């Protein structure tokens, strides 16, 4: 149920559900972080979340991030999720904590060039289309090993994990299976040592399925509607 109760109250509830999922799955609570996906939300909503203790935010449009980020205190951690156009990379700077949507060589190259220019090494996650949904971005699981093999040639980009978006119409069982597949892929890939690659993070799980994701090994869950209420526009 998505209601528009206060953001503070919603955050308390989401955190409680996260804690329960952590307990059920016997995981170390320090390895799971909640990202408040604040896309399309006004700065006032982010400030309310900030007052309730939230420090990690995720946006999906560079322009919107540029407009909103300066309004919040600078102890926030900003994550970029959702497809990243190469012509927007030039606007990024050190205040981006992590990019979740590295999904092609052209983006890898552009990030590396810009990173060199501004003397930064980007923390990134490779987006994987684990559900093989033609409407979704991301490398297919088969493409990931070659992509990771080349990261060492781009010293201003580090890959710290994998990210996926589940299929919209999947059942809970199917979704859980996709999350499990992403973890298995990560575990398999992690057994090969690659320069610039350490796949410690798994970014998976949104409002409808973050508990399943935690049970399957997520380290970063990206929750929007369950914190901020139903979106008007996407
Ligand atoms: C919008 C979005 C989310 C959050 O989705 P909700 O259903 O609002 O929780 C998570 N990840 C990505 C990539 C998104 O674009």
């Amino acid at each position: 149920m998505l209601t528009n109760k206060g953001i503070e109250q919603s955050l308390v509830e989401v955190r409680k559900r996260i804690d329960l999922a952590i307990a059920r799955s016997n995981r170390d609570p320090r390895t799971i972080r909640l990202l408040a996906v604040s896309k399309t939300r006004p700065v006032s909503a982010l400030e309310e979340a900030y007052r309730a203790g939230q420090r990690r935010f995720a946006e999906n449009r560079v322009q919107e991030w540029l407009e909103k980020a300066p309004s919040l205190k600078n102890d926030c951690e900003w994550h970029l999720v959702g497809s990243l156009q190469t012509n927007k990379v030039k606007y990024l700077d050190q205040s981006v904590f992590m990019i979740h949507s590295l999904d092609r060589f052209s983006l890898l190259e552009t990030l590396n060039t810009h990173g060199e220019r501004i003397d930064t090494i980007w923390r990134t996650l490779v987006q994987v289309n684990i559900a093989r949904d033609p409407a979704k971005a991301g490398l297919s699981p088969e493409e990931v090993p070659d992509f990771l093999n080349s990261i060492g040639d781009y010293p201003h980009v580090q890959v710290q994990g994998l990210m996926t978006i589940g299929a919209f119409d999947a059942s809970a069982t199917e979704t859980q299976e996709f999350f499990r597949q992403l973890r298995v892929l990560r575990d398999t890939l992690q057994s090969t040592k690659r320069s610039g690659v350490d796949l410690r993070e798994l970014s998976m799980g949104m409002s409808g399925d973050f508990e399943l994701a935690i049970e399957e090994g997520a380290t970063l869950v990206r929750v929007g509607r369950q914190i901020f209420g139903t979106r008007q526009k996407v």
Side-chain angles (χ1 to χ4, degrees):
M1 258 303 282
L2 299 165
T3 54
N4 287 319
K5 52 183 169 303
I7 290 169
E8 178 175 3
Q9 179 61 26
S10 301
L11 264 170
V12 168
E13 285 173 21
V14 167
R15 288 183 189 133
K16 183 183 284 172
R17 286 170 57 188
I18 288 175
D19 288 343
L20 288 171
I22 289 173
R24 275 199 299 279
S25 47
N26 259 319
R27 297 193 48 203
D28 177 352
R30 289 168 303 185
T31 62
I32 293 125
R33 283 151 294 150
L34 168 64
L35 308 185
V37 181
S38 49
K39 65 184 185 206
T40 76
R41 315 294 178 171
V43 166
S44 59
L46 280 74
E47 285 170 342
E48 197 176 334
Y50 184 93
R51 283 194 298 276
Q54 185 65 29
R55 293 293 179 273
R56 297 183 172 98
F57 294 90
E59 289 283 337
N60 72 337
R61 285 174 200 275
V62 172
Q63 194 57 44
E64 199 179 325
W65 166 73
L66 282 171
E67 285 165 17
K68 283 151 81 172
S71 306
L72 270 89
K73 298 224 169 65
N74 63 9
D75 60 344
C76 290
E77 196 177 284
W78 293 97
H79 294 248
L80 288 181
V81 300
S83 141
L84 177 56
Q85 292 171 262
T86 45
N87 64 2
K88 296 285 157 51
V89 166
K90 58 178 178 284
Y91 300 115
L92 305 184
D93 63 21
Q94 286 81 355
S95 56
V96 175
F97 184 81
M98 187 174 275
I99 296 163
H100 290 230
S101 48
L102 180 55
D103 60 356
R104 58 196 192 279
F105 279 102
S106 58
L107 182 57
L108 174 58
E109 264 175 40
T110 310
L111 282 170
N112 189 66
T113 305
H114 184 52
E116 191 174 355
R117 193 180 300 129
I118 66 167
D119 195 20
T120 273
I121 299 176
W122 306 106
R123 297 182 196 90
T124 71
L125 306 178
V126 167
Q127 183 168 349
V128 185
N129 188 357
I130 202 86
R132 298 173 194 279
D133 179 344
K136 291 255 166 57
L139 296 175
S140 70
E142 296 74 33
E143 290 171 315
V144 180
D146 274 350
F147 192 79
L148 293 182
N149 287 342
S150 68
I151 296 296
D153 300 335
Y154 301 88
H156 290 272
V157 176
Q158 275 181 5
V159 175
Q160 300 198 335
L162 304 178
M163 177 271 205
T164 199
I165 304 177
F168 281 124
D169 49 1
S171 67
T173 317
E174 287 166 330
T175 299
Q176 184 151 16
E177 178 58 21
F178 290 140
F179 292 158
R180 197 189 64 80
Q181 286 174 15
L182 193 72
R183 171 169 48 84
V184 169
L185 178 66
R186 188 275 306 273
D187 294 346
T188 309
L189 292 166
Q190 191 69 327
S191 62
T192 304
K193 192 101 190 72
R194 294 176 176 88
S195 166
V197 178
D198 179 9
L199 305 175
R200 68 193 94 137
E201 308 289 353
L202 281 178
S203 170
M204 55 189 195
M206 307 179 16
S207 285
D209 49 26
F210 64 88
E211 289 142 307
L212 288 178
I214 289 169
E215 288 172 30
E216 294 302 330
T219 62
L220 295 161
V221 290
R222 313 180 305 264
V223 179
R225 287 170 300 150
Q226 207 62 246
I227 294 171
F228 294 107
T230 317
R231 266 190 305 279
Q232 300 304 311
K233 64 177 175 95
V234 178

